[in-house]
């Protein structure tokens, strides 16, 4: 029957097409790096915000890669706050010091989750401006009248909002480790303790004397998680002059606070002794 002719023609055309396609693919195969970048770029330009978050987040693995930092900087302007947060986090992870000016602009973002991500990124690159954010979260007081600190006071004092940010955005730097089930029960409440504890922890390396005073005050906070975080931060500061302020915490009703205070007292005594030994050695002829 002659009706088979068109079918044979179509089959022949398909065969030729597949042969040419296969030949070209074998002649110029796509490299693994091209496939990898294609996948990342596809995610970055996806209409799905979850896809964009996933793609932006992995850019943090690409340190010393100018293209990656450029892409992350571009994502700081994304319409979704989750993407902007992921971009700021990625820039901090890749230690993109050239991105510091843009991260500081993000400190004016209307979403506190983005601001916290930018503050942490700045801290990871040893830029002190992020400390102001943590200082206000811990103390409820402003160090300056500029940017986020002047504009977002209402958000910072919304316990439910802060608790949400502490749980969703604070992963990785809230000092929960080793605190056990009691800590989890506190975290599940709608209070601001998780994010305030995180702020205390992040202030450990802030050299400002006012920050040391704020941490000492936080040692007497009503919430034991905040007390533990503040004591740990003081231990990391290594300021022996603060030991006397910590000693009363060895009698705290919460065992986690007592043990943390005891370890901190021992550590600060060791720090002072080591410093004195070093000074004596330096003074010897």
């Amino acid at each position: 029957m002659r009706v088979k002719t068109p079918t044979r023609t179509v089959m022949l055309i398909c065969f030729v097409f597949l042969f040419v396609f296969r030949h070209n693919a074998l002649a110029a195969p796509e490299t693994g790096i091209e496939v990898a970048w294609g996948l990342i770029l596809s995610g970055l330009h996806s209409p799905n915000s979850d896809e964009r978050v996933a793609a932006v987040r992995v850019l943090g693995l690409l340190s010393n890669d100018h293209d990656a930092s450029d892409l992350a900087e571009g994502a700081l302007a994304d319409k979704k706050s989750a993407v902007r947060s992921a971009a700021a986090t990625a820039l901090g992870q890749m230690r993109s010091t050239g991105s510091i000016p843009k991260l500081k602009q993000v400190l004016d973002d209307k979403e506190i989750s983005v601001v916290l991500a930018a503050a942490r990124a700045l801290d990871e690159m040893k830029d002190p401006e992020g400390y102001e954010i943590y200082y206000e979260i811990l103390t409820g007081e402003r160090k300056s009248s500029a940017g986020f600190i002047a504009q977002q006071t209402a958000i910072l004092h919304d316990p439910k909002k802060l608790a949400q940010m502490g749980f969703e955005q604070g992963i990785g730097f809230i000092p929960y480790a080793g605190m056990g089930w009691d800590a989890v029960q506190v975290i599940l409440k709608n209070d601001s303790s998780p994010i305030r504890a995180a702020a205390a922890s992040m202030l450990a390396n802030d050299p400002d004397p006012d920050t040391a005073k704020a941490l000492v005050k936080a040692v007497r906070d009503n919430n034991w998680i905040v007390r533990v975080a503040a004591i740990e931060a003081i231990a990391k500061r290594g300021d022996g002059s603060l030991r006397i302020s910590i000693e009363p915490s060895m009698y705290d009703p919460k065992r986690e606070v007592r043990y943390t205070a005891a370890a901190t007292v021992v550590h600060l005594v060791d720090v002072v002794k080591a410093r004195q030994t070093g000074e004596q050695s330096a003074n010897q002829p």
Side-chain angles (χ1 to χ4, degrees):
M1 296 177 63
R2 298 183 64 84
V3 293
K4 293 183 179 180
T5 303
T7 303
R8 290 175 182 171
T9 303
V10 171
M11 290 178 64
L12 179 60
I13 293 172
C14 290
F15 177 80
V16 172
F17 174 80
L18 290 173
F19 176 81
V20 173
F21 176 80
R22 183 180 180 187
H23 174 75
N24 290 337
L26 290 174
E30 192 174 23
T31 65
I33 191 67
E34 290 172 341
V35 173
W37 270 117
L39 180 61
I40 293 173
L41 291 172
S42 175
L44 290 172
H45 293 91
S46 171
N48 185 306
S49 62
D50 290 337
E51 291 282 347
R52 298 201 301 278
V53 168
V56 169
R57 185 173 292 147
V58 300
L59 293 175
L61 300 174
L62 306 177
S63 57
N64 300 318
D65 190 307
H66 186 69
D67 291 333
S69 59
D70 283 348
L71 289 169
E73 286 181 5
L76 289 174
D78 195 276
K79 62 182 179 180
K80 292 291 186 178
S81 62
V83 180
R84 300 196 300 276
S85 295
T89 299
L91 289 169
Q93 290 173 341
M94 66 177 73
R95 303 297 194 272
S96 179
T97 55
S99 304
I100 286 178
K102 291 191 175 182
L103 285 169
K104 289 183 177 181
Q105 292 176 3
V106 175
L107 294 178
D108 291 325
D109 197 284
K110 63 181 180 180
E111 289 292 334
I112 190 173
S113 60
V114 182
V115 175
L116 288 173
R120 185 182 182 193
L122 290 171
D123 177 74
E124 289 178 343
M125 290 184 278
K126 311 302 180 184
D127 188 286
E129 194 158 330
Y131 288 136
E132 290 204 3
I133 303 300
Y134 300 120
Y135 183 90
E136 182 174 355
I137 291 173
L138 177 64
T139 66
E141 300 173 355
R142 293 197 297 268
K143 276 191 176 182
S144 72
S145 59
F148 169 84
I149 294 178
Q151 300 170 15
Q152 304 295 334
T153 303
I155 295 177
L156 285 174
H157 295 289
D158 183 337
K160 291 185 178 180
K161 184 69 172 179
L162 286 176
Q164 179 186 6
M165 290 303 100
F167 192 77
E168 295 180 358
Q169 304 296 335
I171 302 303
F173 66 95
I174 291 182
Y176 296 156
M179 293 186 184
W181 175 242
D182 285 348
V184 175
Q185 290 179 311
V186 173
I187 292 164
L188 293 177
K189 297 178 181 179
N190 283 327
D191 63 27
S192 62
S193 59
I195 197 63
R196 292 179 59 243
S201 180
M202 296 300 289
L203 287 169
N205 297 317
D206 182 5
D208 191 334
D210 287 340
T211 296
K213 295 177 182 177
L215 288 171
V216 168
K217 184 177 180 180
V219 168
R220 300 185 295 275
D221 193 89
N222 290 332
N223 190 287
W224 69 269
I225 289 182
V226 177
R227 298 200 298 275
V228 167
I231 295 170
E232 287 183 350
I234 289 173
K236 293 175 182 177
R237 292 173 77 86
D239 185 349
S241 68
L242 302 179
R243 177 177 59 85
I244 296 177
S245 301
I246 300 302
E247 289 182 352
S249 296
M250 292 191 292
Y251 305 96
D252 193 277
K254 199 70 177 177
R255 64 173 177 270
E256 288 84 356
V257 179
R258 295 196 299 270
Y259 292 142
T260 305
T264 299
V265 167
V266 172
H267 171 67
L268 293 179
V269 169
D270 289 342
V271 167
V272 172
K273 286 181 178 179
R275 189 172 299 151
Q276 291 173 343
T277 301
E279 291 175 352
Q280 289 173 359
S281 299
N283 292 329
Q284 289 179 352

